[in-house]
């Protein structure tokens, strides 16, 4: 990361009052980054998946398995109903299912390699299966590569460019 930050590149920060969303694949580390980004921006962070579970009283794993389209509609609605200027960690499928809902927001993309994605999801049995009709290996490969292609079409801010912006902003003071 230090090498990436040292390389020339954009230094991007959200506009005042602009909602920041942390997006990326399942298991990329969005929830783990949420408190760190919250400190950098001096904002309170909200994990959208946990918010949805509290709001609807339904475990995410069961909801995604039993009624995926209902879940996707609820996650979109939940983000759009939040007041502007917040910081939100999105679920792993949000970026590929609701790219248009991110218009005007500051979408921060958390990178992950397929190898790391695969390793983490093979170990983590708490996450819902998205394609239980195929083997877990097939599911991981197909979901990752399909979403990777969709993510590439959405204007996002690379994590390294955001961090570079934070570093420059601290040095400017």
């Amino acid at each position: 990361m230090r090498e990436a930050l040292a390389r020339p590149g954009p230094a991007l920060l959200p506009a005042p009052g602009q909602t920041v969303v942390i997006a990326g694949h399942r298991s990329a580390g969005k929830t783990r980054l949420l408190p760190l980004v919250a400190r950098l921006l001096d904002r309170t962070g909200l994990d959208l998946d946990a918010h949805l579970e509290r709001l609807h009283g339904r475990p995410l794993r069961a909801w995604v398995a039993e009624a995926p389209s209902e879940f996707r509609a609820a996650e979109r609605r939940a983000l759009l109903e939040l007041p502007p200027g917040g910081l939100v960690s999105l679920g792993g499928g949000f970026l590929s299912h609701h790219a248009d809902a991110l218009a005007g927001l500051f979408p921060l993309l958390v990178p992950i390699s397929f190898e790391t994605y695969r390793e983490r999801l093979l170990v983590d049995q708490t996450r819902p299966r998205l394609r239980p009709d195929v083997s877990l290996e097939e599911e991981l490969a197909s979901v990752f590569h399909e979403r990777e292609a969709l993510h590439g079409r959405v204007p996002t801010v690379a994590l390294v460019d955001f961090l570079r912006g934070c570093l420059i902003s601290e040095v400017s003071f």
Side-chain angles (χ1 to χ4, degrees):
M1 182 59 79
R2 288 177 193 208
E3 289 175 17
L5 285 170
R7 282 187 226 122
L12 304 171
L13 288 173
Q18 186 178 29
T19 298
V20 174
V21 293
I22 302 174
H25 286 282
R26 294 183 294 167
S27 229
K30 300 176 301 292
T31 300
R32 184 174 230 177
L33 276 172
L34 185 63
L36 304 171
V37 174
R39 279 196 302 272
L40 287 170
L41 295 175
D42 195 26
R43 298 184 188 189
T44 301
L46 174 76
D47 181 302
L48 193 63
D49 283 347
H51 175 69
L52 284 165
E53 283 187 334
R54 282 190 306 274
L55 195 63
H56 294 273
R58 262 179 115 163
L60 189 76
R61 183 183 177 112
W63 196 0
V64 170
E66 296 162 8
S69 12
E70 179 187 313
F71 169 74
R72 294 293 175 204
E75 76 175 345
R76 178 189 185 90
R77 200 170 38 254
L79 178 68
L80 296 174
E81 290 173 352
L82 293 174
L87 169 62
V88 183
S89 173
L90 303 175
F94 198 98
L95 190 59
S96 52
H97 285 89
H98 311 293
D100 61 313
L102 303 177
L105 306 183
F106 188 87
L108 183 57
L109 183 62
V110 180
I112 189 169
S113 69
F114 175 70
E115 293 74 23
T116 302
Y117 170 86
R118 181 184 168 280
E119 286 172 18
R120 289 179 182 175
L121 289 173
L122 284 174
V123 171
D124 186 353
Q125 300 299 312
T126 65
R127 297 190 186 255
R129 289 286 311 267
L130 301 178
R131 298 189 181 148
D133 53 317
V134 299
S135 74
L136 182 55
E137 288 282 351
E138 290 173 294
E139 173 186 315
L140 295 177
S142 63
V143 169
F144 181 87
H145 295 297
E146 287 169 16
R147 288 186 176 176
E148 192 72 5
L150 292 169
H151 294 181
R153 297 180 193 154
V154 180
T156 57
V157 174
L159 179 61
V160 69
D161 297 338
F162 166 74
L163 293 173
R164 193 179 294 111
C166 292
L167 290 172
I168 290 171
S169 145
E170 283 186 15
V171 171
S172 299
F173 291 110

